[in-house]
């Protein structure tokens, strides 16, 4: 809706379409793969077993979300509290007892040219930004929040600040517990860091914590994403079946279609490829949204603005500029995955005109 008002209805549709085609569904797929990867600490999984398990998790949680909103909310609340407690324990253990990684802080910058360092930093930021990307999901359920104009800005601001603190502390703790070469070589960083500090028991505890965290994340993605597709379908600009609710007023068709597409994505790419699809397409939309603040100030000066944009227009322009740099660097350094993400966005253009024409015909 925001992109639609700032630019054109096509851009608003393309963001919703991209959520379904890539952003939300690839996030479900990627986190499900991480869930199985860490579960592999306890059970020896092959590559195909990890993907099969990711599919089972996706469909299982999607079915759970079709039962009732309360069931979904309770599951989310319990697992979120559990993972925050576990994260706190992990950070304290690594910071207090970690020693082997102390040398990591003396070799923070690799010996390389400025160009390769800049390019490598940009690619690394793709993974880092993907870790923060879930913040946007709270806006998808804004229609079900009481006084959203009051609570959404606060929830967005406080949650992002809290996440920054958590991630910075955790990364500092991991670097204290493991040398850089071991950090770079493992795909189970948290488990290996704590195991290196207090033994195998610590690795098992951390792996369980990550499994719980991923479970909560997948549940949250499933719950929020389907509401967007439902709203688009109600507006006549998405699959009509997605607009149907069951007796508990849950968009079951949208949830299960999302699950099916997420499972197909999980079968097609590695973890690295999945979050590159997500971050590239997400930040394309975020850059446009930030620029839209400036556009709407010029285009619609009459709109009510109860909240001030901090540092406007300078911070807004800096954000847009850095977003452009991130996207350009990803396109140069990882063109295949960036172009796949762009192609998924462009695939929605003919669909927009198809549904717009159908909506126009129904109204005449």
């Amino acid at each position: 809706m925001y992109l639609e008002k700032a630019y054109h209805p096509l851009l608003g549709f393309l963001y919703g379409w991209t959520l379904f085609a890539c952003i939300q569904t690839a996030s479900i797929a990627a986190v499900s793969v991480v869930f199985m990867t860490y579960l592999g600490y306890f059970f020896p999984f092959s590559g195909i077993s990890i993907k099969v398990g990711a599919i089972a998790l996706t469909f299982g949680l999607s079915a759970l979300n079709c039962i009732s909103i309360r069931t979904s909310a309770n599951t989310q609340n319990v697992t979120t509290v559990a993972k925050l407690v576990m994260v706190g324990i992990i950070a304290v253990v690594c910071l207090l007892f970690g020693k082997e990684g102390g040398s990591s802080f003396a070799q923070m910058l690799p010996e390389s040219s400025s160009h390769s360092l800049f390019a490598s930093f940009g690619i690394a930021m793709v993974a880092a930004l993907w870790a923060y990307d879930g913040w946007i999901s709270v806006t998808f359920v804004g229609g079900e929040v009481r006084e959203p104009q009051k609570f959404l800005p606060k929830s967005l601001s406080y949650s992002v600040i809290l996440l920054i603190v958590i991630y910075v502390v955790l990364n500092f703790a991991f670097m204290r517990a493991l040398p850089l070469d071991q950090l770079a070589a493992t795909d189970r960083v948290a488990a290996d860091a704590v195991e290196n500090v207090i033994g195998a028991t610590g690795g098992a505890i951390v792996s369980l914590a990550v499994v719980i965290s991923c479970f909560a994340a997948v549940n949250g993605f499933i719950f929020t994403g389907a509401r967007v597709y439902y709203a688009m379908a109600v507006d006549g600009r998405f699959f009509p079946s997605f607009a149907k609710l069951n007796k508990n007023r849950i968009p079951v068709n949208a949830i299960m279609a999302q699950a099916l597409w997420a499972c197909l994505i999980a079968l097609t790419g590695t973890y690295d490829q999945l979050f590159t699809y997500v971050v590239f397409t997400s930040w394309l939309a975020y850059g446009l949204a930030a620029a839209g603040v400036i556009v709407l100030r010029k285009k619609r000066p009459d709109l009510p603005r109860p909240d001030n944009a901090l540092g406007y227009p300078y911070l807004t322009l800096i954000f847009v500029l850095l977003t452009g740099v991130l996207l350009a660097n990803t396109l140069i350094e990882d063109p295949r995955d960036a172009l796949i993400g762009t192609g998924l966005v462009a695939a929605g253009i003919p669909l927009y005109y198809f549904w717009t024409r159908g909506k126009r015909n129904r109204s005449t």
Side-chain angles (χ1 to χ4, degrees):
M1 182 65 74
Y2 181 78
L3 292 174
E4 178 178 328
K5 288 185 177 295
Y7 303 105
H8 188 276
L10 173 61
L11 287 181
F13 169 83
L14 286 179
Y15 180 66
W17 156 254
T18 308
L19 279 176
F20 178 78
C22 178
I23 297 173
Q24 204 78 353
T25 45
S27 293
I28 293 170
V31 178
S32 296
V33 169
V34 178
F35 173 92
M36 291 301 301
T37 300
Y38 269 86
L39 196 61
Y41 185 92
F42 305 101
F43 308 100
F45 291 132
S46 63
I48 188 63
S49 297
I50 288 177
K51 291 185 177 182
V52 170
I55 290 171
L57 175 68
T58 299
F59 274 119
L61 282 178
S62 295
L64 181 69
N65 274 269
C66 291
I67 297 174
S68 71
I69 294 177
R70 178 50 53 192
T71 300
S72 303
N74 288 340
T75 300
Q76 194 66 30
N77 293 338
V78 170
T79 52
T80 297
V81 171
K83 73 178 180 181
L84 288 176
V85 171
M86 297 297 286
V87 162
I89 294 173
I90 292 168
V92 170
V93 168
C94 289
L95 289 172
L96 289 180
F97 303 107
K99 296 179 180 179
E100 291 189 27
S103 60
S104 298
F105 298 98
Q107 48 176 314
M108 294 293 290
L109 295 178
E111 297 179 1
S112 59
S113 67
S114 59
H115 170 74
S116 62
L117 176 59
F118 174 81
S120 299
F121 180 79
I123 291 298
M125 283 299 295
V126 171
L129 291 172
W130 183 74
Y132 288 90
D133 200 56
W135 66 271
I136 192 68
S137 296
V138 69
T139 64
F140 300 163
V141 293
E144 299 176 51
V145 176
R146 285 178 294 182
E147 298 184 77
Q149 70 279 7
K150 176 182 178 180
F151 291 109
L152 284 184
K154 290 183 178 179
S155 64
L156 288 169
S157 301
Y158 297 156
S159 62
V160 170
I161 293 171
L162 178 61
L163 281 176
I164 291 172
V165 173
I166 290 173
Y167 284 139
V168 169
V169 170
L170 271 180
N171 278 280
F172 185 86
F174 293 156
M175 292 180 67
R176 183 171 174 80
L178 278 179
L180 281 180
D181 58 342
Q182 294 184 39
L183 279 172
T186 179
D187 58 356
R188 290 196 293 257
V189 175
D192 289 350
V194 178
E195 183 175 323
N196 194 50
V197 173
I198 62 174
T201 300
I205 292 173
V206 172
S207 293
L208 179 61
V210 176
V211 166
I212 294 172
S213 178
C214 290
F215 187 93
V218 174
N219 184 71
F221 284 133
I222 290 170
F223 176 79
T224 56
R227 269 62 187 178
V228 178
Y229 323 139
Y230 164 75
M232 293 172 65
V234 169
D235 194 40
R237 287 180 174 159
F238 217 45
F239 299 103
S241 63
F242 287 11
K244 296 180 181 179
L245 301 174
N246 67 2
K247 62 180 181 180
N248 293 323
R249 300 193 60 77
I250 296 173
V252 172
N253 292 341
I255 290 174
M256 297 313 295
Q258 174 182 250
L260 178 60
W261 185 238
C263 290
L264 291 174
I265 291 176
L267 289 172
T268 60
T270 65
Y271 174 75
D272 290 346
Q273 291 171 329
L274 291 175
F275 67 60
T276 302
Y277 300 161
V278 171
V279 173
F280 187 83
T281 52
S282 294
W283 280 81
L284 180 61
Y286 298 161
L288 288 171
V293 175
I294 299 174
V295 172
L296 281 176
R297 295 263 174 144
K298 302 294 184 181
K299 186 177 179 180
R300 294 292 305 275
D302 56 309
L303 290 175
R305 293 179 171 87
D307 295 299
N308 294 323
L310 181 65
Y312 178 86
Y314 306 108
L315 287 182
T316 305
L317 290 171
I318 291 172
F319 180 88
V320 173
L321 175 63
L322 292 178
T323 298
V325 171
L326 172 73
L327 295 175
N329 184 71
T330 305
L331 189 60
I332 293 169
E333 298 297 324
D334 196 357
R336 176 185 175 275
D337 291 343
L339 288 174
I340 288 176
T342 304
L344 287 170
V345 177
I349 296 176
L351 293 175
Y352 167 79
Y353 288 106
F354 171 77
W355 276 309
T356 299
R357 184 178 61 182
K359 180 181 179 181
R360 190 182 302 117
N361 290 340
R362 287 190 298 271
S363 61
T364 56

